[in-house]
Amino acid sequence: MISLRFVFLFLLISFSTSAQKDYKLWLQYNAVNNSAMASEYKSNLKGIVVLGNSETIKVAKKELKTAFLGMLGNVPEIKSELKEENNLIVGAESSLNPEIKKTVSADFDKINNEGFIIKSVSIQNKKQIIITGKNDVAVLYGVFNFLRILQTNKSVKNLNIADSPKTNIRILNHWDNLDRTVERGYAGFSLWNWQKLPDFIDQRYIDYARANASVGINGTVLTNVNANALILTPQYLEKVEALANVFRPYGIKVYLTARFSAPIEIGNLKTADPKDPEVINWWKNKSAEIYKRIPDFGGFLVKANSEGQPGPQNYGRDHVDGANMLADAVAPFGGVIMWRAFVYSEHDANDRAKQAYAEFQPYDGKFKENVIVQVKNGAIDFQPREPFHPLFGAMPKTPLMMEFQITQEYLGFSTHLVFLPKLFQEVLQSDTFQKGKGSTVAKVVDGTLYQNKLTGIAGVANIGNDLNWTGHPFAQANWYGFGRLAWNPYLDSEIIADEWLRCTFSNDENFIKPIKNMMMESREAVVNYMTPLGLHHIMDTGHHYGPGPWVSNLSRPEWNPTYYHKADKNGIGFDRSKSGTNATSQYASEVEKLFDNLETCPEKDLLWFHHVSWDYKLKNGQTLWNGLALKYQEGVNQVAAMQDVWKKTEKYIDSERFNEVGMLLEIQNKEAKWWRDACLLYFQQFSGKELPAGVEKPTQTLDYFKSLKFPFAPGNG
Amino acid sequence: MISLRFVFLFLLISFSTSAQKDYKLWLQYNAVNNSAMASEYKSNLKGIVVLGNSETIKVAKKELKTAFLGMLGNVPEIKSELKEENNLIVGAESSLNPEIKKTVSADFDKINNEGFIIKSVSIQNKKQIIITGKNDVAVLYGVFNFLRILQTNKSVKNLNIADSPKTNIRILNHWDNLDRTVERGYAGFSLWNWQKLPDFIDQRYIDYARANASVGINGTVLTNVNANALILTPQYLEKVEALANVFRPYGIKVYLTARFSAPIEIGNLKTADPKDPEVINWWKNKSAEIYKRIPDFGGFLVKANSEGQPGPQNYGRDHVDGANMLADAVAPFGGVIMWRAFVYSEHDANDRAKQAYAEFQPYDGKFKENVIVQVKNGAIDFQPREPFHPLFGAMPKTPLMMEFQITQEYLGFSTHLVFLPKLFQEVLQSDTFQKGKGSTVAKVVDGTLYQNKLTGIAGVANIGNDLNWTGHPFAQANWYGFGRLAWNPYLDSEIIADEWLRCTFSNDENFIKPIKNMMMESREAVVNYMTPLGLHHIMDTGHHYGPGPWVSNLSRPEWNPTYYHKADKNGIGFDRSKSGTNATSQYASEVEKLFDNLETCPEKDLLWFHHVSWDYKLKNGQTLWNGLALKYQEGVNQVAAMQDVWKKTEKYIDSERFNEVGMLLEIQNKEAKWWRDACLLYFQQFSGKELPAGVEKPTQTLDYFKSLKFPFAPGNG
């Protein structure tokens, strides 16, 4: 009586309450609809043998159960012996008996400590599948990767995978404040409920750890780089310890931001001078105190002498002095210092884009070996497009880690659908030429260019306490994709989009193909309707929401959009060539030449490097003014096209996410037009030219756009 | 092949992901395990006939489908005709054909406009069940009440229910700020995502409306009583309109808080004087603007001249002037003004407990008929226990509405399990004696004592964007219970606990009985370990988290705990009798005598009304000091007993909520001890006596407790 009909009705229920689908991220473990694949999985996975009993192995076992139940409707028998074939064997190298081990012994040479092996083997003439690695966390990575094979409906026959992460530190930076506001957070508020910690462990902490482990993220900085020293007091360290305990089985280390003036603020010292013996001692003791609680504590992330944060320069010292002092404090415990190179000064009249390089490049080779310098992808600040940061490749004796921004501070908050792995990939594949052709940013980041031992990629998290974690269902793909690229900076973003869509929504090709295309084009769309042709930093002040190219009244010149676009009667753009600020000279000569010459400079970076006349002829034959206007229009058109594509997906996915994305695309469309109209009306004052055919007329005046105020826009620190 | 086994596995999955259970509140619609009842429901509910097609009726239909699918595994056939028996007929009076209508025509005389009828009838000798009312929202209430019958596994044979709400305005007050912080909010942040409104409709808005409608709540004040005038600007009204559109089908009206100085702040006027013609006109125009967008806008809630909020007194006018001016502005559109009586002044040296009565009672009869005065349940401020507010019953010519606080500002935030309907019931059943014996607060509130037409109950919401809405799974019961008591202020809180447990967790009597007892005792426990014997307002400053009886340094005397407990060598307590501030004289003479006399004053209110010597003999023969200490200990013991009871529930409920509540009870236990130890150590300085046998010794010093600081405790405005 209770039969198939009941089951389908049950499925209906789960479709009707998909706030819950959103919550599950890419770990939906939807039932495998492809019956051939379902049969293959069932016949090849009749039993599971899990070796070991650590917390990590228990997590792996639980994940397998949850996943099989969801995807295949039942859990293969949990076995303790290999009497029959078609078992899944899961365990670390040390737990494998000699017979099993010899089937994969050569594979262990191919992987590093965090790498995993997934292999179809024959043991006593019985075929089995092995998931293993050199330790339990590596096995957990293998399990998640194996489950992804099923989630994406790929074959489990003849598996032979040996894969290792290419970077050591794959880490989220949470810009979360202790009051749970999140600087540049657009998905609600901080996950960390400090009030209820350490005694209340929210299920979200566990699900956060699962999601991160599933893509190989192995670290998290819990607190904002604009730091509060209180996090280093026992009252808070007790809470941090509780989170570290939750995350440990998932292979995730906890890190904190260190406020440089903490010795004064919570240590009752008179100074935070990094050369002061009391200060040195204070940090040593503080580190010991932390490591006593959290033996695998990762270390500190530091924003010093930047945008008002205290730092060594307050005491006449430099970044090296500050970083090395902290590095000494954590070194006995194996900790690292991630020291940010995001610096620029109101006392420096130089092009802001040049300042980080100018300040940090001379420090090359001077940092202690457990310091890694964290460099944003571009020289300004997470714009929709920036040329790669000139520091990459320019500090051969210093480990540099990449800082990407997953949260969309400048890319439409959590309302705009923008697939960021495309942006990340563009940066990673940029060739610095610092050690000849092929010296890509990826090779700097993974350490292969200069044989750095310490490597890493950081992503400023887009995660908050919204039901769906990231505000926009598609922003989940940016968290996912960041993790995948941190694991392998050479991965193609299209593969990432494909995986994520299959794991998150559906394996139906009729859904996958158009939506994957939509994702792949989404980043260029946002560049087009916000900052085409190399424009940058023309957003409104403070909250960074919407256009503000007219803003020119801020106290620090380099905070004003007019500083960046320099529009005038003659043209538009920032001359960073030899005739200008000569920022191009910070690149290797091949790159310098490319950017410096108006003819060879890629048009996508044109106005980043050159001040160009309104009548300048673009490669397509359009004048700059017309081309600029058409780019803005193209961006709007691209969003409209995304809407059309999305409308056709209704039959493939649950109605709730279908509706959510539909509403968000509608907002994105409105806001794309707002950007187009506001920017073109403003720049038109300088160009004095009509909008070309094909560009829609603005429906509001420039004064209207200037009058808009958003006092409670989220994320404003 | 895919059969029962699959189904059970599916159920297992839903158990393993119960962040999702928490989210569903008391609308879990769990499968009916009682097979006899399941059969009864199936045989009596073979078809559904839904009459009408309004948005509200569509909502009712959808809810029935969701509920039947969950509880019975399938949805009865949706029919358009009554050919067979055992149908459920759902529709408003106007949609019933004469044959159906005559079976319930007499019942319509028993209900008011919002009341519903659920009745087993015979039509053409075929038995059917009818759910009807005078309009569609009443029908929706009927549907939710009918579903509660199933959720609580009660029979649907021989139904004959005609029920109406006893109050007009059943409303939540959200103290939500425009930046999404929530004053006194302990369940995350505001549900209202102003940034994404009006275009993005979060599923939460819909589920919030469903939950409210299911208990008969028909209004919501979206914004904090400490108001921001920006909510009244077009930029925000557009967003409010979008929420009103979502809530309308559920019978929920939207209200806003009106900042009295709005005409200055957003209207460019020089004054907000309620007698100024420009100000009068500004509010009329503003009201017209709002009603143009939201024709069923409810009206304004106003906190004026209280705790720094602007008001008519800033211009030499009084509360009547202010309230009536606003009342005139909204009257043409049917709006109401809810004017808060929560006032006390730093310039008034009188007992704070007397000030609201002293100020408002003389206004009796002076307010316009669409004004209702909103009075907190007690004269101080939402303490664990307060005697009923003396204004209740004392303003016969003025509608008074009750203001309860559902959020646990003074009762352990969202960490302590406290079943508040017990507190609400105690207040509602208090006899004011203002029109003779039996003049209960409930009769004031429902208007029957003085035949007021306008009636209402407000609850300060405990709802935030936590996954489970209220922070503590059991705090959901306080939202639920508030709604049920707003509908019927005479309802027994034990019935409410019973209903809520069955709808939320399980109908298993082995679970229900002990947990219901635990809930019923939980309120007395918090009184015991925080403020026994009539103590009040001895919490720490600002955030109100934890004990602070020692605080005496605040600028306003009536903000200091020492003002309230007045502990000294001679004894403890606030003398509000004739020999003291004579606050007792604000009550009817029967009540006055009762409270005034140390011998007749209920011991639960002893120190509220009397300063009592440490050696005073309590009714149980203990000295006051020993009795006080033993009460604190009793509170701690009660929490320990709650923990023991809870530990036995593991087999009845999902593991996630089992663990959550277990962790929270552990925190509650810790904090109960903190309250006990800190208060007793502090009061012991005055009593100079040892702790009696049976009271555990404190493990920390008084100085330790005084040193605790919580700079980021949530909810601090």
Side-chain angles (χ1 to χ4, degrees):
Chain A
M1 281 298 289
I2 304 177
S3 66
L4 216 57
R5 177 150 151 272
F6 189 105
V7 172
F8 283 122
L9 289 168
F10 226 95
L11 286 169
L12 267 180
I13 279 209
S14 73
F15 273 103
S16 74
T17 56
S18 79
Q20 320 190 344
K21 288 205 159 270
D22 264 10
Y23 179 84
K24 291 186 191 171
L25 297 162
W26 48 87
L27 302 173
Q28 301 284 327
Y29 299 135
N30 290 328
V32 176
N33 292 325
N34 181 326
S35 56
M37 293 316 299
S39 305
E40 183 195 313
Y41 297 155
K42 283 181 183 172
S43 59
N44 284 277
L45 298 164
K46 292 194 169 155
I48 303 181
V49 179
V50 179
L51 306 166
N53 200 29
S54 69
E55 290 304 308
T56 299
I57 290 296
K58 284 182 196 159
V59 159
K61 192 169 172 179
K62 190 171 178 196
E63 196 71 27
L64 284 167
K65 284 187 188 177
T66 306
F68 284 129
L69 201 51
M71 291 193 283
L72 303 177
N74 67 8
V75 178
E77 195 182 338
I78 306 290
K79 298 180 176 176
S80 53
E81 292 184 3
L82 285 179
K83 287 191 178 154
E84 290 134 29
E85 61 178 2
N86 294 317
N87 293 298
L88 180 67
I89 304 164
V90 178
E93 182 175 15
S94 61
S95 69
L96 305 180
N97 69 35
E99 197 174 38
I100 301 176
K101 194 168 172 178
K102 78 175 177 203
T103 66
V104 285
S105 57
D107 301 281
F108 278 111
D109 299 335
K110 301 179 196 160
I111 58 173
N112 64 28
N113 245 350
E114 293 184 287
F116 59 84
I117 298 160
I118 303 176
K119 194 172 184 182
S120 304
V121 297
S122 176
I123 302 170
Q124 293 185 337
N125 286 322
K126 295 191 178 75
K127 70 185 173 95
Q128 315 283 10
I129 298 172
I130 294 182
I131 302 176
T132 188
K134 293 179 181 169
N135 60 55
D136 290 342
V137 170
V139 173
L140 181 63
Y141 291 150
V143 164
F144 277 115
N145 276 271
F146 177 74
L147 290 174
R148 189 179 300 124
I149 294 171
L150 274 63
Q151 287 177 288
T152 55
N153 289 5
K154 294 198 173 64
S155 175
V156 294
K157 292 175 187 165
N158 307 314
L159 292 168
N160 191 5
I161 302 169
D163 192 18
S164 302
K166 295 186 189 299
T167 60
N168 312 134
I169 303 175
R170 307 177 297 279
I171 193 166
L172 291 175
N173 289 186
H174 288 271
W175 288 356
D176 291 16
N177 300 312
L178 299 185
D179 64 1
R180 296 187 71 184
T181 57
V182 180
E183 187 160 334
R184 312 310 175 189
Y186 313 106
F189 293 79
S190 175
L191 293 184
W192 324 130
N193 188 337
W194 297 113
Q195 170 74 9
K196 285 183 176 166
L197 282 166
D199 296 310
F200 185 78
I201 301 302
D202 195 310
Q203 178 65 28
R204 280 214 126 158
Y205 306 150
I206 297 164
D207 291 327
Y208 165 86
R210 285 176 59 226
N212 281 327
S214 77
V215 290
I217 290 170
N218 68 355
T220 179
V221 185
L222 300 175
T223 46
N224 193 353
V225 288
N226 293 321
N228 188 314
L230 284 180
I231 194 67
L232 302 177
T233 60
Q235 184 179 16
Y236 278 92
L237 288 176
E238 184 186 19
K239 300 167 191 283
V240 173
E241 179 185 350
L243 288 174
N245 291 340
V246 173
F247 299 159
R248 187 170 295 112
Y250 298 86
I252 296 163
K253 282 187 184 181
V254 159
Y255 299 69
L256 293 173
T257 46
R259 185 160 162 93
F260 206 78
S261 50
I264 301 170
E265 291 159 6
I266 62 168
N268 285 320
L269 300 190
K270 291 210 170 57
T271 177
D273 181 348
K275 302 266 191 189
D276 182 281
E278 278 195 290
V279 171
I280 293 168
N281 207 43
W282 188 88
W283 282 108
K284 285 194 166 159
N285 290 337
K286 182 54 71 180
S287 299
E289 179 191 346
I290 296 173
Y291 279 94
K292 193 170 173 196
R293 289 181 178 277
I294 310 167
D296 56 354
F297 179 70
F300 296 119
L301 170 64
V302 187
K303 174 177 181 176
N305 293 121
S306 170
E307 298 182 323
Q309 290 297 301
Q313 292 173 349
N314 299 33
Y315 307 96
R317 315 298 182 183
D318 64 22
H319 286 285
V320 174
D321 298 326
N324 287 350
M325 181 274 289
L326 288 173
D328 283 343
V330 297
F333 312 101
V336 301
I337 301 300
M338 300 173 288
W339 194 271
R340 290 174 99 229
F342 177 65
V343 295
Y344 60 100
S345 167
E346 69 266 47
H347 307 301
D348 187 341
N350 274 316
D351 178 1
R352 171 173 159 188
K354 293 173 66 180
Q355 295 185 27
Y357 179 98
E359 184 149 6
F360 272 79
Q361 199 284 329
Y363 296 142
D364 187 31
K366 295 188 175 170
F367 290 102
K368 301 263 177 167
E369 67 176 6
N370 60 331
V371 174
I372 186 164
V373 175
Q374 184 166 312
V375 182
K376 291 189 180 182
N377 59 276
I380 298 294
D381 195 9
F382 298 135
Q383 295 300 295
R385 169 168 282 130
E386 299 190 33
F388 71 88
H389 200 297
L391 275 173
F392 288 109
M395 295 180 73
K397 288 175 276 180
T398 307
L400 298 190
M401 69 190 284
M402 171 64 72
E403 179 174 325
F404 284 131
Q405 193 180 45
I406 315 173
T407 190
Q408 293 170 232
E409 175 178 358
Y410 301 102
L411 290 95
F413 289 12
S414 63
T415 322
H416 294 209
L417 192 164
V418 183
F419 182 57
L420 292 176
K422 192 83 160 76
L423 183 165
F424 302 158
Q425 183 180 14
E426 179 178 287
V427 176
L428 289 164
Q429 296 186 353
S430 295
D431 196 339
T432 71
F433 281 90
Q434 291 285 10
K435 208 176 151 190
K437 187 167 164 55
S439 304
T440 59
V441 173
K443 287 187 184 169
V444 177
V445 166
D446 79 356
T448 54
L449 192 65
Y450 299 119
Q451 286 77 52
N452 305 110
K453 275 185 286 182
L454 191 56
T455 59
I457 302 193
V460 181
N462 64 345
I463 302 163
N465 73 342
D466 271 5
L467 280 178
N468 71 359
W469 303 85
T470 55
H472 196 307
F474 274 76
Q476 297 178 354
N478 296 332
W479 176 8
Y480 179 90
F482 164 76
R484 297 288 286 139
L485 281 167
W487 180 279
N488 178 3
Y490 303 92
L491 204 57
D492 188 351
S493 58
E494 188 165 349
I495 289 173
I496 296 171
D498 189 88
E499 286 176 0
W500 177 79
L501 282 170
R502 291 175 192 276
C503 296
T504 306
F505 286 107
S506 166
N507 276 287
D508 193 315
E509 297 296 338
N510 295 318
F511 172 80
I512 295 289
K513 202 180 157 191
I515 300 305
K516 187 162 60 182
N517 283 341
M518 175 183 88
M519 290 171 75
M520 294 305 288
E521 286 183 22
S522 62
R523 188 280 184 116
E524 206 59 36
V526 75
V527 171
N528 287 337
Y529 63 71
M530 284 187 180
T531 53
L533 298 175
L535 283 174
H536 52 286
H537 205 292
I538 57 172
M539 68 289 164
D540 202 359
T541 299
H543 47 66
H544 300 170
Y545 173 60
W550 47 79
V551 176
S552 63
N553 61 348
L554 303 178
S555 60
R556 288 176 63 165
E558 78 282 14
W559 283 351
N560 287 308
T562 52
Y563 172 95
Y564 296 95
H565 63 68
K566 301 201 188 301
D568 57 22
K569 297 275 175 210
N570 301 320
I572 183 172
F574 196 127
D575 186 358
R576 294 194 168 103
S577 72
K578 280 190 187 56
S579 60
T581 66
N582 203 19
T584 49
S585 69
Q586 292 182 336
Y587 290 100
S589 61
E590 294 87 338
V591 179
E592 177 186 0
K593 278 181 211 152
L594 185 82
F595 289 154
D596 207 68
N597 183 337
L598 188 57
E599 298 307 310
T600 60
C601 182
E603 280 189 353
K604 65 183 168 66
D605 300 318
L606 189 64
L607 307 180
W608 186 282
F609 288 114
H610 298 278
H611 190 74
V612 182
S613 96
W614 295 111
D615 292 322
Y616 175 79
K617 279 279 184 298
L618 295 169
K619 295 197 172 70
N620 62 7
Q622 296 281 359
T623 64
L624 176 67
W625 167 250
N626 284 355
L628 185 72
L630 287 163
K631 275 284 177 196
Y632 271 106
Q633 182 65 46
E634 184 183 346
V636 170
N637 295 347
Q638 285 169 303
V639 176
M642 288 160 72
Q643 290 183 281
D644 288 340
V645 170
W646 186 255
K647 280 174 189 151
K648 292 177 191 138
T649 64
E650 185 160 19
K651 63 183 159 193
Y652 302 108
I653 64 167
D654 53 291
S655 62
E656 193 171 308
R657 288 188 293 181
F658 173 76
N659 288 330
E660 275 176 14
V661 174
M663 289 186 279
L664 291 165
L665 284 170
E666 184 64 34
I667 297 175
Q668 187 172 358
N669 184 306
K670 269 193 197 179
E671 295 189 357
K673 289 177 179 169
W674 170 28
W675 272 91
R676 176 197 64 194
D677 294 350
C679 292
L680 290 178
L681 281 170
Y682 171 76
F683 292 134
Q684 194 172 32
Q685 299 179 115
F686 303 99
S687 80
K689 295 169 191 295
E690 292 298 307
L691 292 174
V695 178
E696 289 165 4
K697 299 282 169 284
T699 55
Q700 299 281 357
T701 65
L702 181 58
D703 283 342
Y704 167 80
F705 291 120
K706 285 182 171 179
S707 77
L708 298 176
K709 295 282 172 287
F710 306 95
F712 296 105
N716 202 3
Chain B
M1 280 299 288
I2 305 178
S3 65
L4 217 57
R5 177 151 152 270
F6 191 113
V7 172
F8 284 123
L9 289 168
F10 226 94
L11 286 167
L12 267 181
I13 278 209
S14 73
F15 274 102
S16 74
T17 57
S18 77
Q20 319 192 343
K21 288 207 161 271
D22 263 11
Y23 179 84
K24 290 188 193 171
L25 296 163
W26 48 87
L27 302 173
Q28 300 284 328
Y29 300 134
N30 289 329
V32 176
N33 292 325
N34 180 327
S35 56
M37 292 316 298
S39 307
E40 183 194 313
Y41 298 154
K42 282 181 183 171
S43 60
N44 284 276
L45 298 164
K46 292 194 169 155
I48 302 180
V49 179
V50 179
L51 306 167
N53 200 28
S54 69
E55 290 304 310
T56 299
I57 291 296
K58 283 182 196 160
V59 160
K61 192 169 171 179
K62 189 170 178 195
E63 197 71 28
L64 284 167
K65 284 187 189 178
T66 306
F68 284 129
L69 201 52
M71 290 192 282
L72 303 177
N74 66 7
V75 178
E77 195 182 337
I78 306 290
K79 297 181 177 176
S80 54
E81 292 184 2
L82 285 179
K83 288 190 180 155
E84 291 134 29
E85 61 178 4
N86 293 318
N87 292 298
L88 180 67
I89 304 164
V90 178
E93 183 175 16
S94 61
S95 69
L96 305 180
N97 69 34
E99 198 174 38
I100 301 177
K101 194 168 174 178
K102 77 175 180 202
T103 66
V104 286
S105 56
D107 300 282
F108 278 111
D109 299 335
K110 301 178 196 160
I111 58 171
N112 64 27
N113 246 349
E114 294 185 286
F116 59 84
I117 297 161
I118 303 176
K119 195 171 183 182
S120 302
V121 298
S122 176
I123 301 169
Q124 293 185 337
N125 286 322
K126 296 190 176 75
K127 71 184 171 97
Q128 314 284 8
I129 298 173
I130 294 183
I131 302 176
T132 187
K134 292 179 181 171
N135 59 56
D136 290 342
V137 170
V139 173
L140 180 63
Y141 290 150
V143 164
F144 276 115
N145 275 271
F146 178 75
L147 291 174
R148 189 179 300 125
I149 294 172
L150 273 63
Q151 287 177 286
T152 55
N153 289 6
K154 295 198 172 63
S155 175
V156 294
K157 291 175 187 165
N158 306 314
L159 292 168
N160 191 6
I161 302 169
D163 192 17
S164 301
K166 295 186 189 299
T167 61
N168 312 134
I169 303 174
R170 307 177 297 280
I171 193 166
L172 291 175
N173 289 185
H174 288 269
W175 288 357
D176 291 16
N177 300 312
L178 299 185
D179 64 1
R180 295 188 72 184
T181 58
V182 179
E183 187 161 334
R184 311 311 176 187
Y186 313 106
F189 292 79
S190 176
L191 293 184
W192 324 131
N193 188 336
W194 298 113
Q195 171 74 10
K196 283 182 177 167
L197 282 167
D199 296 309
F200 185 78
I201 302 302
D202 195 309
Q203 177 66 27
R204 280 216 127 157
Y205 306 150
I206 297 165
D207 291 327
Y208 165 85
R210 285 176 60 225
N212 282 328
S214 77
V215 290
I217 291 170
N218 69 355
T220 179
V221 185
L222 300 175
T223 46
N224 193 352
V225 288
N226 293 322
N228 188 314
L230 283 180
I231 194 66
L232 302 176
T233 60
Q235 184 180 16
Y236 278 92
L237 288 176
E238 185 186 17
K239 300 167 191 282
V240 173
E241 180 185 349
L243 287 174
N245 291 340
V246 172
F247 298 159
R248 187 170 295 113
Y250 298 87
I252 296 164
K253 283 186 183 180
V254 159
Y255 299 68
L256 294 173
T257 45
R259 185 160 163 94
F260 206 77
S261 50
I264 301 169
E265 291 159 6
I266 62 169
N268 286 319
L269 299 190
K270 291 209 168 59
T271 179
D273 181 349
K275 301 269 190 187
D276 181 282
E278 278 195 289
V279 170
I280 294 168
N281 207 42
W282 188 87
W283 281 108
K284 285 194 166 159
N285 289 337
K286 182 53 71 181
S287 300
E289 179 190 347
I290 295 172
Y291 278 95
K292 195 171 172 195
R293 289 180 178 277
I294 310 168
D296 56 355
F297 179 70
F300 296 119
L301 170 63
V302 187
K303 174 176 180 176
N305 294 121
S306 170
E307 299 183 322
Q309 289 297 301
Q313 293 173 350
N314 298 33
Y315 308 96
R317 315 299 183 183
D318 64 22
H319 286 284
V320 175
D321 297 328
N324 286 350
M325 181 274 290
L326 288 173
D328 283 343
V330 297
F333 312 102
V336 302
I337 300 301
M338 299 173 290
W339 194 272
R340 291 174 97 229
F342 177 66
V343 295
Y344 61 99
S345 167
E346 68 265 48
H347 308 301
D348 188 341
N350 274 316
D351 178 2
R352 172 174 159 186
K354 292 175 66 180
Q355 295 185 29
Y357 179 97
E359 183 150 6
F360 271 79
Q361 199 284 329
Y363 296 142
D364 187 31
K366 296 188 177 169
F367 290 101
K368 301 264 177 170
E369 66 176 7
N370 60 331
V371 174
I372 186 163
V373 174
Q374 184 166 313
V375 182
K376 290 189 180 183
N377 60 276
I380 298 294
D381 195 10
F382 299 135
Q383 295 301 295
R385 170 168 280 131
E386 299 191 32
F388 71 88
H389 200 298
L391 274 173
F392 288 110
M395 295 181 74
K397 289 173 277 182
T398 307
L400 298 188
M401 69 191 283
M402 172 63 73
E403 179 174 325
F404 284 131
Q405 192 179 47
I406 315 173
T407 190
Q408 294 170 231
E409 176 178 357
Y410 301 101
L411 290 96
F413 290 13
S414 62
T415 321
H416 294 209
L417 192 163
V418 182
F419 182 57
L420 292 176
K422 192 84 160 76
L423 184 165
F424 302 158
Q425 183 181 15
E426 178 177 287
V427 176
L428 289 164
Q429 295 185 353
S430 296
D431 196 339
T432 71
F433 281 89
Q434 291 286 7
K435 207 177 150 187
K437 186 167 164 56
S439 303
T440 60
V441 172
K443 286 187 183 171
V444 177
V445 166
D446 78 356
T448 53
L449 192 65
Y450 299 120
Q451 286 75 52
N452 304 111
K453 275 184 285 183
L454 191 56
T455 59
I457 302 193
V460 181
N462 64 345
I463 304 162
N465 74 341
D466 272 6
L467 279 178
N468 72 359
W469 302 85
T470 56
H472 195 306
F474 275 75
Q476 297 179 353
N478 296 332
W479 175 10
Y480 178 90
F482 163 77
R484 297 288 287 139
L485 281 167
W487 180 279
N488 178 4
Y490 303 92
L491 205 56
D492 188 351
S493 59
E494 188 164 351
I495 290 173
I496 295 171
D498 189 88
E499 286 177 0
W500 177 79
L501 283 170
R502 290 175 193 277
C503 296
T504 306
F505 285 107
S506 164
N507 275 287
D508 194 314
E509 296 296 338
N510 295 319
F511 172 79
I512 294 289
K513 202 180 156 192
I515 300 306
K516 187 162 60 181
N517 284 342
M518 176 183 87
M519 290 171 76
M520 293 305 288
E521 286 182 24
S522 62
R523 188 280 184 117
E524 207 58 37
V526 76
V527 171
N528 287 338
Y529 64 71
M530 284 187 181
T531 54
L533 298 175
L535 284 174
H536 52 286
H537 206 291
I538 58 173
M539 68 289 164
D540 203 359
T541 298
H543 47 65
H544 300 170
Y545 172 62
W550 47 78
V551 176
S552 63
N553 61 349
L554 303 178
S555 60
R556 289 176 63 165
E558 79 282 13
W559 283 351
N560 286 310
T562 52
Y563 172 95
Y564 296 95
H565 63 68
K566 301 199 189 300
D568 57 23
K569 297 273 174 212
N570 301 320
I572 183 171
F574 196 128
D575 186 358
R576 293 193 169 103
S577 73
K578 278 189 188 56
S579 59
T581 66
N582 203 20
T584 50
S585 69
Q586 292 182 337
Y587 290 99
S589 61
E590 293 88 338
V591 180
E592 178 186 359
K593 278 180 211 153
L594 186 83
F595 289 153
D596 207 67
N597 183 337
L598 187 57
E599 299 306 309
T600 60
C601 182
E603 279 188 353
K604 65 185 168 63
D605 300 319
L606 190 64
L607 306 180
W608 186 283
F609 287 115
H610 299 277
H611 191 75
V612 182
S613 93
W614 294 111
D615 293 322
Y616 175 80
K617 279 279 184 300
L618 294 170
K619 295 196 173 69
N620 63 6
Q622 297 279 359
T623 64
L624 177 67
W625 168 250
N626 283 355
L628 185 72
L630 287 162
K631 275 284 176 196
Y632 272 107
Q633 181 65 46
E634 184 184 346
V636 171
N637 295 348
Q638 285 169 301
V639 176
M642 288 161 70
Q643 290 183 282
D644 287 341
V645 170
W646 185 254
K647 281 175 189 150
K648 293 178 190 137
T649 63
E650 186 160 17
K651 62 183 157 190
Y652 303 108
I653 64 169
D654 52 291
S655 63
E656 193 172 311
R657 288 187 294 181
F658 173 77
N659 288 329
E660 276 177 12
V661 174
M663 289 186 279
L664 291 165
L665 283 170
E666 184 63 35
I667 298 175
Q668 187 172 358
N669 185 305
K670 269 192 197 179
E671 295 190 355
K673 289 176 178 168
W674 171 28
W675 271 92
R676 178 197 63 194
D677 292 350
C679 292
L680 290 178
L681 282 170
Y682 171 76
F683 292 133
Q684 195 172 33
Q685 299 179 114
F686 303 99
S687 79
K689 296 171 190 296
E690 292 298 307
L691 292 175
V695 178
E696 290 165 5
K697 299 282 168 288
T699 54
Q700 298 282 357
T701 64
L702 180 59
D703 282 342
Y704 167 80
F705 292 119
K706 284 182 172 180
S707 77
L708 298 176
K709 294 282 172 286
F710 305 94
F712 296 105
N716 201 4

